[in-house]
């Protein structure tokens, strides 16, 4: 049992007095969620009593951050903190998971076009990072509750009237984007000093997509408003994770179309189309259904039927990326060499001191996503590393795990030439793969990885500096440290501690 509240604006006595009255009449509630302005220009006197512990909130209370410069000082920690006993600031953005399994996504502040956004605002980057952190969760279906201060733009489309509020002009487009992506079962907002309970809306297209749960948007008025508009909302919710799937996706009779679908389609249309790139004159194909691959050149007829490759610009990361060279998260002291499209860096937790990574400068997820000029530079780096390691009496083993990874990382690990042959390395990988019931196939030297893997397909791939290659298409779970474990085994580098 939860309570949600609109702008408090420092009227703590009025709010908590009302909560006590409701709990006295209807029984205990588990938490109070406050959206909009929790503090106001006259908060200090009332707040001092709670901050010092002279008074205590009657219920665990969770609040969003500042919406203007005037109240920023009330929120000392960007990532959230306890402001007073029973009163917690959630933080600028993120996900709060309750002990019951309830998932509450939140975004503090108002929309800003500036980068970085002021302390009381969020930007497109903040929204992208919030979405990425949640959408990358396996089997993500949505969140139970979304808390924002501004309304989402266009929330009134296909719906009942929002009264005097023009939903085409008020609110935030970025909040609409968050709501469309995170599919909350309840979305609370404030700031407009109005109460509006929208009809529930669908999160799927009828007859085209599997039915999903509906979303309910509720805007709340400000505490103690003279017009007696509703500012406190009581509701019961069972966490999505504990619900019967059939019960979760039941559609109420008054359900409407999704208000954000149209604006999202329009945003997608404005993206620039990709241009076709010339295809290479000769290709080799490998049939993954056969254990022995045979190379055959493609003829004109086959090439005519194949889809032309698309020249790709690297997509922008949807959240913080540890490997995009332009990202503040990159540990630049580890960078060894920077080319035009790629760079070379020491591995942060390398198996050996000369364990390196080949990485694209732009944001690509895997080798099969790379454009031809990036592939060309990756090949040059491989050639240079082969020459370098051979001069040190070593051969390299390269592997890529395109699974639960956001940015392409080609791991390059040197192995002493006198320690093991390329055949020993291959046998170690294949033997350990069989032990773990992983089908690791050898693909012909002249076959390219792009001929056996499609963009978006998870896979694990090994390449020796002789050009020999092993490939596994990941269909279920895959051990994240498989490549590292094989190389650290007694048969190869004998570094079990690494």
């Amino acid at each position: 049992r939860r309570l949600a509240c609109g702008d408090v604006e420092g009227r703590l006595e009025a709010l908590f007095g009302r909560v006590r009255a409701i709990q006295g009449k209807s029984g205990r509630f588990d938490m109070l969620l406050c959206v909009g302005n929790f503090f106001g220009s006259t908060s200090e006197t009332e707040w001092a009593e709670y901050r010092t512990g002279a008074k205590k909130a009657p219920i665990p209370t969770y609040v969003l951050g500042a919406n203007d410069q005037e109240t920023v000082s009330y929120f000392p920690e960007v990532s959230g903190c306890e402001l007073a006993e029973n009163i917690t600031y959630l933080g600028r953005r993120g996900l709060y998971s309750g002990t019951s399994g309830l998932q509450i996504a939140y975004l503090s502040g108002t929309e800003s076009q500036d980068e970085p956004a002021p302390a009381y605002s969020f930007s497109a980057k903040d929204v992208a990072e919030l979405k990425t952190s949640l959408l990358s969760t396996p089997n993500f279906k949505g969140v139970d509750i979304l808390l924002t201060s501004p309304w989402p733009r266009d929330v009134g489309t296909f719906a009942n009237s929002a009264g005097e509020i023009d939903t085409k002009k008020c609110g935030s487009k970025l909040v609409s984007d968050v709501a469309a992506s995170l599919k909350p079962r309840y979305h609370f907002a404030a700031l407009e000093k109005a109460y509006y309970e929208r009809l529930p809306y669908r999160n799927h297209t009828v007859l085209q997509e599997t039915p999903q749960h509906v979303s309910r948007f509720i805007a709340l008025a400000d505490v103690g408003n003279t017009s007696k508009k509703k500012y406190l909302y009581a509701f019961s919710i069972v966490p999505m994770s504990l619900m019967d799937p059939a019960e979760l996706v039941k559609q109420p009779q008054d359900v409407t179309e999704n208000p954000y679908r149209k604006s999202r389609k329009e945003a997608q249309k404005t993206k620039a189309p990709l241009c076709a790139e010339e295809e290479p004159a000769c290709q080799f194909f490998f049939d993954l259904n056969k254990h022995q691959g045979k190379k055959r050149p493609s003829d004109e007829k086959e090439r005519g039927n194949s889809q032309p490759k698309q020249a790709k610009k690297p997509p922008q990361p949807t959240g913080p990326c540890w490997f995009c060279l332009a990202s503040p998260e990159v540990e630049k002291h580890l960078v060894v060499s920077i080319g035009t499209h790629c760079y070379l860096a020491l591995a942060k937790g390398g198996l050996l001191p000369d364990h390196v990574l080949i990485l694209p400068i732009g944001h690509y997820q895997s080798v099969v996503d790379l454009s031809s000029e990036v592939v060309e530079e990756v090949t040059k780096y491989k050639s240079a590393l082969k020459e370098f390691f051979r001069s040190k009496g070593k051969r390299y083993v390269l592997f890529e795990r395109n699974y639960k990874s956001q940015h392409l990382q080609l791991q390059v690990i040197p192995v002493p030439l006198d320690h093991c042959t390329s055949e020993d390395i291959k046998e170690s990988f294949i033997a350990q793969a069989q032990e773990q019931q992983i089908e690791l196939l050898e693909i012909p030297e002249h076959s390219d990885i792009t001929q056996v893997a499609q963009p978006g397909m998870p896979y694990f791939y090994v390449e020796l500096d002789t050009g020999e290659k092993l490939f596994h298409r990941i269909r279920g779970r895959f051990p994240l440290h498989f490549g590292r474990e094989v190389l650290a085994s007694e048969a190869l580098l004998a570094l079990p501690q690494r």
Side-chain angles (χ1 to χ4, degrees):
R1 300 177 77 218
R2 324 278 153 173
L3 289 168
C5 173
D7 303 274
V8 180
E9 295 184 330
R11 300 184 192 102
L12 303 176
E13 287 304 288
L15 169 64
F16 293 138
R18 181 89 183 102
V19 169
R20 284 188 192 94
I22 289 171
Q23 293 201 122
K25 191 176 175 182
S26 309
R28 199 179 72 83
F29 282 80
D30 298 298
M31 60 166 60
L32 168 63
L33 304 168
C34 298
V35 291
N37 295 314
F38 187 72
F39 294 104
S41 53
T42 58
S43 300
E44 196 46 50
T45 315
E46 277 192 43
W47 175 238
E49 294 182 284
Y50 288 88
R51 195 184 66 241
T52 58
K55 288 184 177 175
K56 178 185 163 183
I59 183 174
T61 303
Y62 297 86
V63 310
L64 293 181
N67 297 299
D68 54 44
Q69 186 60 50
E70 195 178 356
T71 54
V72 166
S73 59
Y74 285 99
F75 303 93
E77 291 288 332
V78 172
S79 55
C81 58
E82 187 175 75
L83 299 176
E85 190 177 354
N86 255 6
I87 302 176
T88 303
Y89 165 46
L90 288 166
R92 285 193 71 161
R93 62 174 185 277
L95 181 74
Y96 173 85
S97 296
T99 50
S100 63
L102 192 77
Q103 294 207 308
I104 303 170
Y106 55 88
L107 182 65
S108 288
T110 53
E111 181 175 331
S112 168
Q113 300 302 315
D114 297 331
E115 203 67 75
Y120 54 87
S121 296
F122 56 83
S123 65
K125 186 184 174 192
D126 292 307
V127 165
E129 288 176 8
L130 175 62
K131 283 166 55 181
T132 303
S133 64
L134 295 177
L135 299 179
S136 60
T137 312
N139 306 317
F140 178 80
K141 292 188 181 74
V143 295
D144 293 300
I145 299 169
L146 173 63
L147 306 177
T148 65
S149 287
W151 289 30
R153 179 75 57 87
D154 293 320
V155 68
T157 307
F158 309 127
N160 48 318
S161 167
E164 296 171 0
I165 308 295
D166 184 348
T167 59
K168 286 182 167 53
K169 290 179 181 172
C170 102
S172 158
K173 285 184 180 177
L174 288 176
V175 169
S176 302
D177 185 17
V178 170
S181 300
L182 301 191
K183 302 173 187 172
R185 291 163 65 204
Y186 283 89
H187 178 185
F188 294 98
L191 297 184
E192 299 297 333
K193 302 197 184 306
Y195 169 69
Y196 173 50
E197 185 167 356
R198 190 202 186 279
L199 290 171
Y201 62 82
R202 293 187 190 95
N203 283 300
H204 65 277
T205 307
V206 177
L207 301 178
Q208 289 180 34
E209 294 174 307
T210 310
Q212 296 181 47
H213 61 270
V214 300
S215 291
R216 290 175 164 81
F217 172 74
I218 295 143
L220 295 162
D222 49 321
V223 171
N225 67 86
T226 52
S227 310
K228 307 279 186 199
K229 291 175 187 169
K230 189 168 181 172
Y231 65 82
L232 206 54
Y233 185 90
F235 65 112
S236 293
I237 183 169
V238 175
M240 197 186 296
S241 57
L242 303 179
M243 284 187 73
D244 177 275
E247 192 66 31
L248 178 65
V249 300
K250 275 188 178 173
Q251 306 290 299
Q253 286 202 326
D254 57 354
V255 69
T256 76
E257 284 301 312
N258 191 305
Y260 315 122
R261 186 157 278 138
K262 186 180 171 188
S263 56
R264 288 188 110 196
K265 279 183 182 172
E266 285 168 359
Q268 284 166 357
K269 279 181 191 172
T270 59
K271 289 181 181 174
L274 299 166
C275 57
E277 185 188 81
E278 281 186 24
E279 216 177 313
C282 183
Q283 283 187 312
F284 296 99
F285 295 82
F286 174 70
D287 184 359
L288 262 184
N289 297 319
K290 295 176 186 172
H291 282 251
Q292 291 303 317
K294 287 184 181 177
K295 62 183 183 181
R296 60 179 175 85
S298 64
D299 58 28
E300 290 301 320
K301 186 179 171 189
E302 285 174 320
R303 193 142 27 99
N305 290 339
S306 69
Q307 290 292 316
K309 243 185 147 186
Q310 300 291 311
K312 305 180 198 75
K313 282 190 172 180
Q316 294 305 303
T318 47
C321 178
W322 297 98
F323 301 106
C324 283
L325 196 57
S327 166
E329 278 82 12
V330 166
E331 306 223 15
K332 294 189 170 64
H333 66 287
L334 297 173
V335 175
V336 175
S337 158
I338 301 174
T340 310
H341 305 289
C342 304
Y343 71 100
L344 195 70
L346 290 170
K348 189 176 180 184
L351 270 171
L352 298 159
D354 45 4
H355 174 171
V356 293
L357 309 179
I358 303 172
L359 304 130
I361 289 170
H363 189 77
Y364 293 94
Q365 185 166 344
S366 70
V367 161
V368 296
D369 292 320
L370 298 179
S371 58
S372 56
E373 64 269 20
V374 187
V375 170
E376 191 180 331
E377 198 166 287
V378 166
T379 307
K380 284 181 181 176
Y381 266 120
K382 285 183 195 173
S383 176
L385 285 168
K386 177 180 177 177
E387 196 177 325
F388 168 71
F389 285 130
R390 289 283 170 138
S391 74
K392 303 286 182 189
K394 300 173 185 178
R395 71 173 84 246
Y396 77 61
V397 181
L398 176 150
F399 69 84
E400 178 198 0
R401 187 197 77 227
N402 180 33
Y403 172 75
K404 295 197 174 178
S405 56
Q406 199 190 153
H407 189 112
L408 165 63
Q409 303 154 54
L410 294 176
Q411 308 272 346
V412 186
I413 296 102
V415 178
L417 280 167
D418 58 5
H419 194 66
C420 45
T421 64
S422 60
E423 212 52 45
D424 293 332
I425 295 168
K426 279 197 299 181
E427 281 176 15
S428 288
F429 270 99
I430 291 165
Q432 289 206 38
Q434 284 172 345
E435 276 178 30
Q436 299 191 46
Q437 296 178 319
I438 294 166
E439 189 182 36
L440 200 56
L441 303 176
E442 185 165 358
I443 61 176
E445 195 179 318
H446 296 290
S447 281
D448 187 73
I449 182 76
T450 56
Q451 289 155 15
V452 295
Q454 301 297 317
M457 175 198 289
Y459 62 82
F460 176 78
Y461 166 65
V462 183
E463 185 180 317
L464 307 186
D465 66 1
T466 53
E468 295 165 282
K469 302 176 182 117
L470 301 169
F471 177 86
H472 167 65
R473 179 179 177 180
I474 298 171
R475 286 187 166 87
R477 291 190 172 186
F478 185 79
L480 294 182
H481 301 296
F482 176 71
R484 190 182 176 97
E485 283 166 1
V486 174
L487 286 161
S489 66
E490 291 296 336
L492 297 179
L493 292 170
L495 295 166
Q497 76 279 11
R498 300 300 291 157

